[in-house]
Amino acid sequence: MTLELLFPFLRENFPTHRQYASATLQQIFAGQLAGAKLLKASHLASVVLLNRGGRFEARPLPVEAQLTPVNGATVADFDSDGNEDVFLSQNFFAVRVEDYRMDAGEGLLLLGDGQGGFVTVFGHRSGIKVFGEQRGCAVGDLNDDGRPDLLIAQNKGLPKLYLNMLGQAGLRVQLKFNGNAVSSQGSVLRPVYNDGSKGPARLGSGSSGRYSRNSDTQILGAAKRIRSVEVTWPSGIKSVEQVTNPAMLLELGL
Protein backbone atom coordinates (compact mmCIF):
# COMPACT_ATOMS: atom_id res chain seq x y z
CA MET A 1 0.00 0.00 0.00
CA THR A 2 1.46 3.37 -1.02
CA LEU A 3 1.75 6.44 1.18
CA GLU A 4 -0.81 8.22 -1.00
CA LEU A 5 -3.46 5.66 -0.11
CA LEU A 6 -2.55 5.78 3.58
CA PHE A 7 -2.29 9.58 3.71
CA PRO A 8 -4.30 11.08 0.80
CA PHE A 9 -3.49 14.64 1.91
CA LEU A 10 0.19 14.22 0.96
CA ARG A 11 -0.34 14.88 -2.75
CA GLU A 12 -2.37 18.01 -1.99
CA ASN A 13 0.14 19.45 0.48
CA PHE A 14 3.31 18.31 -1.31
CA PRO A 15 2.75 18.26 -5.08
CA THR A 16 6.44 17.52 -5.84
CA HIS A 17 8.88 14.89 -4.57
CA ARG A 18 11.36 17.65 -3.68
CA GLN A 19 8.87 19.37 -1.37
CA TYR A 20 8.00 16.11 0.35
CA ALA A 21 11.66 15.09 0.75
CA SER A 22 12.61 18.40 2.36
CA ALA A 23 9.66 18.51 4.79
CA THR A 24 9.99 17.60 8.46
CA LEU A 25 7.72 15.12 10.18
CA GLN A 26 5.96 17.99 11.96
CA GLN A 27 5.34 19.77 8.62
CA ILE A 28 3.98 16.63 6.96
CA PHE A 29 1.54 15.87 9.78
CA ALA A 30 0.86 19.47 10.85
CA GLY A 31 -1.92 19.54 13.40
CA GLN A 32 -2.41 15.77 13.31
CA LEU A 33 0.16 14.60 15.86
CA ALA A 34 -1.60 15.84 19.00
CA GLY A 35 -1.77 12.99 21.47
CA ALA A 36 0.37 10.71 19.30
CA LYS A 37 2.75 8.40 21.14
CA LEU A 38 6.41 8.80 20.20
CA LEU A 39 8.54 5.65 20.23
CA LYS A 40 12.28 5.72 19.65
CA ALA A 41 14.69 2.88 18.87
CA SER A 42 18.15 3.80 20.05
CA HIS A 43 20.02 0.53 19.43
CA LEU A 44 19.34 -1.68 16.41
CA ALA A 45 22.44 -3.91 16.42
CA SER A 46 22.41 -7.65 17.12
CA VAL A 47 24.30 -8.04 20.39
CA VAL A 48 25.35 -10.63 22.94
CA LEU A 49 24.49 -9.93 26.59
CA LEU A 50 27.25 -11.02 28.97
CA ASN A 51 26.20 -11.77 32.55
CA ARG A 52 28.61 -9.88 34.76
CA GLY A 53 26.99 -10.82 38.05
CA GLY A 54 24.12 -8.45 38.75
CA ARG A 55 24.37 -6.60 35.44
CA PHE A 56 24.51 -7.37 31.72
CA GLU A 57 27.14 -6.06 29.37
CA ALA A 58 26.00 -5.61 25.76
CA ARG A 59 28.55 -6.26 23.03
CA PRO A 60 27.74 -5.97 19.34
CA LEU A 61 28.24 -9.14 17.33
CA PRO A 62 30.52 -9.05 14.23
CA VAL A 63 29.41 -7.07 11.21
CA GLU A 64 28.19 -10.21 9.41
CA ALA A 65 25.51 -10.57 12.09
CA GLN A 66 24.24 -7.06 11.29
CA LEU A 67 23.65 -7.48 7.55
CA THR A 68 20.32 -9.29 7.80
CA PRO A 69 17.74 -10.08 10.52
CA VAL A 70 18.45 -12.80 13.08
CA ASN A 71 15.48 -15.12 13.68
CA GLY A 72 17.06 -17.73 15.93
CA ALA A 73 20.20 -18.21 18.00
CA THR A 74 21.66 -21.17 19.82
CA VAL A 75 24.74 -21.66 22.00
CA ALA A 76 27.13 -24.63 21.95
CA ASP A 77 30.85 -25.35 21.95
CA PHE A 78 31.03 -26.40 18.32
CA ASP A 79 34.83 -26.71 18.14
CA SER A 80 35.22 -28.15 21.66
CA ASP A 81 37.85 -25.66 22.83
CA GLY A 82 36.07 -24.85 26.10
CA ASN A 83 34.63 -21.53 24.87
CA GLU A 84 30.96 -21.08 24.04
CA ASP A 85 30.09 -20.44 20.39
CA VAL A 86 26.92 -19.13 18.75
CA PHE A 87 24.95 -20.00 15.62
CA LEU A 88 22.49 -17.52 14.13
CA SER A 89 19.56 -18.27 11.81
CA GLN A 90 19.21 -15.40 9.37
CA ASN A 91 17.18 -13.74 6.57
CA PHE A 92 13.65 -12.41 6.20
CA PHE A 93 11.74 -12.44 2.92
CA ALA A 94 8.22 -11.26 3.92
CA VAL A 95 8.86 -7.62 3.12
CA ARG A 96 6.72 -5.06 1.30
CA VAL A 97 6.62 -5.15 -2.49
CA GLU A 98 8.65 -1.95 -2.74
CA ASP A 99 11.42 -3.27 -0.43
CA TYR A 100 14.23 -5.70 -1.13
CA ARG A 101 14.07 -8.99 0.71
CA MET A 102 16.71 -9.41 3.41
CA ASP A 103 18.74 -12.37 2.16
CA ALA A 104 22.38 -11.52 2.91
CA GLY A 105 22.84 -14.39 5.37
CA GLU A 106 23.57 -18.07 4.87
CA GLY A 107 23.48 -19.02 8.55
CA LEU A 108 26.27 -17.63 10.70
CA LEU A 109 28.67 -19.57 12.90
CA LEU A 110 30.49 -17.42 15.47
CA LEU A 111 33.36 -18.91 17.48
CA GLY A 112 33.84 -17.46 20.95
CA ASP A 113 37.15 -16.52 22.55
CA GLY A 114 35.97 -17.02 26.12
CA GLN A 115 36.12 -13.27 26.84
CA GLY A 116 32.88 -12.24 25.13
CA GLY A 117 34.37 -11.78 21.67
CA PHE A 118 33.33 -13.73 18.57
CA VAL A 119 34.94 -14.46 15.22
CA THR A 120 32.92 -15.20 12.08
CA VAL A 121 33.41 -18.55 10.36
CA PHE A 122 32.18 -18.22 6.78
CA GLY A 123 30.30 -20.96 4.98
CA HIS A 124 33.24 -22.10 2.83
CA ARG A 125 35.02 -23.07 6.07
CA SER A 126 32.13 -24.18 8.29
CA GLY A 127 30.21 -25.98 5.54
CA ILE A 128 27.01 -24.23 6.66
CA LYS A 129 25.27 -22.60 3.70
CA VAL A 130 21.54 -22.04 3.99
CA PHE A 131 20.31 -19.46 1.50
CA GLY A 132 16.61 -19.69 2.40
CA GLU A 133 14.53 -17.90 5.01
CA GLN A 134 15.94 -19.49 8.16
CA ARG A 135 13.91 -19.67 11.34
CA GLY A 136 14.59 -21.77 14.45
CA CYS A 137 17.81 -23.66 15.18
CA ALA A 138 18.70 -26.33 17.72
CA VAL A 139 21.71 -28.36 18.84
CA GLY A 140 21.98 -32.03 19.73
CA ASP A 141 24.38 -34.94 19.36
CA LEU A 142 22.44 -36.79 16.68
CA ASN A 143 25.03 -39.51 15.98
CA ASP A 144 26.39 -39.97 19.53
CA ASP A 145 29.94 -38.96 18.68
CA GLY A 146 30.21 -36.31 21.41
CA ARG A 147 30.03 -33.36 19.01
CA PRO A 148 27.13 -30.87 18.89
CA ASP A 149 25.23 -31.18 15.60
CA LEU A 150 23.01 -28.47 14.18
CA LEU A 151 19.42 -28.49 12.89
CA ILE A 152 18.07 -25.40 11.09
CA ALA A 153 14.42 -24.85 10.17
CA GLN A 154 13.35 -22.80 7.15
CA ASN A 155 10.18 -20.98 6.20
CA LYS A 156 8.70 -22.65 3.10
CA GLY A 157 11.73 -24.90 2.86
CA LEU A 158 13.08 -28.18 4.16
CA PRO A 159 15.06 -28.18 7.41
CA LYS A 160 18.82 -28.50 7.16
CA LEU A 161 20.88 -30.90 9.25
CA TYR A 162 24.63 -30.45 9.70
CA LEU A 163 26.72 -33.13 11.38
CA ASN A 164 29.72 -31.74 13.23
CA MET A 165 32.97 -33.27 11.97
CA LEU A 166 35.31 -30.75 13.59
CA GLY A 167 37.11 -30.66 16.90
CA GLN A 168 37.44 -33.19 19.66
CA ALA A 169 34.52 -34.99 21.25
CA GLY A 170 33.02 -33.19 24.22
CA LEU A 171 31.71 -34.45 27.55
CA ARG A 172 28.09 -35.55 27.27
CA VAL A 173 26.03 -34.71 30.35
CA GLN A 174 22.43 -35.74 30.97
CA LEU A 175 20.45 -34.32 33.88
CA LYS A 176 17.58 -36.10 35.64
CA PHE A 177 15.77 -34.03 38.22
CA ASN A 178 13.64 -36.14 40.59
CA GLY A 179 14.20 -39.15 38.38
CA ASN A 180 13.04 -37.23 35.32
CA ALA A 181 9.62 -36.76 36.95
CA VAL A 182 10.35 -33.04 37.00
CA SER A 183 12.01 -31.16 34.16
CA SER A 184 15.65 -30.19 34.65
CA GLN A 185 15.04 -26.98 32.70
CA GLY A 186 16.62 -24.11 34.58
CA SER A 187 19.58 -26.17 35.75
CA VAL A 188 23.02 -24.65 35.25
CA LEU A 189 26.06 -26.78 34.36
CA ARG A 190 29.62 -25.60 34.84
CA PRO A 191 32.79 -27.62 34.19
CA VAL A 192 35.73 -27.51 36.60
CA TYR A 193 39.09 -28.10 34.94
CA ASN A 194 42.17 -29.92 36.19
CA ASP A 195 43.85 -26.67 37.24
CA GLY A 196 40.86 -25.70 39.38
CA SER A 197 39.53 -23.03 37.01
CA LYS A 198 35.90 -23.06 35.95
CA GLY A 199 34.50 -23.05 32.43
CA PRO A 200 31.44 -21.24 31.09
CA ALA A 201 28.04 -21.76 32.71
CA ARG A 202 25.55 -23.61 30.52
CA LEU A 203 21.82 -23.16 31.15
CA GLY A 204 19.46 -26.04 30.49
CA SER A 205 16.64 -24.22 28.74
CA GLY A 206 13.26 -25.22 27.40
CA SER A 207 13.81 -23.10 24.30
CA SER A 208 16.74 -22.19 22.09
CA GLY A 209 14.86 -19.70 19.97
CA ARG A 210 11.92 -19.63 17.58
CA TYR A 211 9.93 -22.85 18.16
CA SER A 212 13.21 -24.69 18.84
CA ARG A 213 14.66 -26.66 21.72
CA ASN A 214 18.14 -28.04 22.21
CA SER A 215 18.71 -31.63 23.26
CA ASP A 216 18.44 -32.48 26.94
CA THR A 217 21.95 -33.99 26.71
CA GLN A 218 24.43 -31.15 27.05
CA ILE A 219 27.88 -31.36 25.44
CA LEU A 220 30.70 -29.56 27.27
CA GLY A 221 33.89 -28.79 25.35
CA ALA A 222 37.51 -29.40 26.39
CA ALA A 223 36.41 -32.75 27.83
CA LYS A 224 39.94 -34.02 28.55
CA ARG A 225 40.56 -31.06 30.87
CA ILE A 226 37.36 -31.50 32.92
CA ARG A 227 37.78 -33.09 36.34
CA SER A 228 34.26 -32.43 37.65
CA VAL A 229 30.93 -30.82 36.79
CA GLU A 230 29.04 -28.45 39.07
CA VAL A 231 25.25 -28.40 38.79
CA THR A 232 22.87 -25.83 40.21
CA TRP A 233 19.45 -27.49 40.09
CA PRO A 234 16.15 -25.64 39.58
CA SER A 235 15.48 -25.99 43.32
CA GLY A 236 18.69 -24.06 44.10
CA ILE A 237 20.54 -27.13 45.40
CA LYS A 238 24.12 -27.47 44.16
CA SER A 239 25.96 -30.72 43.51
CA VAL A 240 29.35 -31.74 42.15
CA GLU A 241 30.09 -34.88 40.14
CA GLN A 242 33.60 -36.15 39.45
CA VAL A 243 34.51 -37.06 35.86
CA THR A 244 36.48 -40.29 35.59
CA ASN A 245 36.01 -41.03 31.88
CA PRO A 246 35.26 -38.06 29.60
CA ALA A 247 34.28 -40.43 26.77
CA MET A 248 31.33 -41.83 28.72
CA LEU A 249 27.89 -40.27 29.12
CA LEU A 250 27.74 -38.57 32.52
CA GLU A 251 24.28 -39.01 34.05
CA LEU A 252 23.52 -36.66 36.93
CA GLY A 253 20.45 -36.86 39.11
CA LEU A 254 18.91 -35.29 42.14
Side-chain angles (χ1 to χ4, degrees):
M1 182 175 292
T2 65
L3 285 176
E4 292 181 12
L5 294 177
L6 288 173
F7 309 111
F9 58 86
L10 288 179
R11 180 178 290 277
E12 178 182 347
N13 296 339
F14 303 96
T16 69
H17 291 293
R18 183 183 296 275
Q19 289 177 320
Y20 174 75
S22 61
T24 66
L25 187 65
Q26 287 72 22
Q27 290 171 335
I28 293 174
F29 294 101
Q32 301 184 48
L33 294 179
K37 181 183 293 185
L38 178 62
L39 301 177
K40 293 183 179 181
S42 59
H43 197 87
L44 300 179
S46 294
V47 303
V48 60
L49 298 176
L50 304 174
N51 190 337
R52 297 309 192 190
R55 66 181 181 87
F56 286 96
E57 176 188 346
R59 287 195 188 180
L61 291 171
V63 63
E64 292 80 13
Q66 316 299 339
L67 301 179
T68 190
V70 174
N71 297 304
T74 191
V75 174
D77 189 353
F78 290 103
D79 59 356
S80 194
D81 64 350
N83 300 324
E84 298 287 69
D85 309 315
V86 176
F87 175 80
L88 304 178
S89 292
Q90 300 175 300
N91 295 340
F92 185 74
F93 298 168
V95 296
R96 300 177 302 177
V97 175
E98 60 267 30
D99 294 331
Y100 294 104
R101 71 179 191 175
M102 304 173 191
D103 59 359
E106 56 185 24
L108 193 62
L109 177 61
L110 302 172
L111 297 184
D113 61 7
Q115 303 299 318
F118 292 89
V119 175
T120 298
V121 182
F122 293 101
H124 70 276
R125 286 186 54 210
S126 68
I128 301 173
K129 293 185 178 182
V130 187
F131 299 105
E133 192 177 15
Q134 304 148 48
R135 286 295 184 259
C137 53
V139 169
D141 185 5
L142 301 180
N143 54 357
D144 293 327
D145 66 351
R147 298 178 179 88
D149 303 313
L150 182 64
L151 184 64
I152 307 166
Q154 297 188 90
N155 185 33
K156 298 182 180 179
L158 295 175
K160 298 287 187 178
L161 169 62
Y162 290 91
L163 295 178
N164 189 345
M165 308 298 291
L166 304 175
Q168 300 295 316
L171 174 66
R172 294 175 296 155
V173 182
Q174 190 175 76
L175 301 180
K176 295 183 178 181
F177 188 50
N178 285 357
N180 254 5
V182 179
S183 171
S184 59
Q185 296 174 17
S187 299
V188 177
L189 292 170
R190 194 161 194 181
V192 180
Y193 299 125
N194 293 326
D195 62 0
S197 63
K198 295 183 179 181
R202 175 78 62 78
L203 174 67
S205 174
S207 172
S208 61
R210 184 185 178 101
Y211 297 106
S212 302
R213 185 174 183 271
N214 289 338
S215 169
D216 285 332
T217 301
Q218 298 287 336
I219 304 173
L220 305 181
K224 293 181 179 180
R225 294 165 44 204
I226 300 176
R227 75 181 187 192
S228 62
V229 175
E230 293 183 354
V231 184
T232 302
W233 298 90
S235 61
I237 297 176
K238 294 186 177 182
S239 63
V240 178
E241 184 74 18
Q242 300 300 312
V243 177
T244 57
N245 185 354
M248 298 292 292
L249 174 66
L250 184 64
E251 295 184 283
L252 304 180
L254 186 67

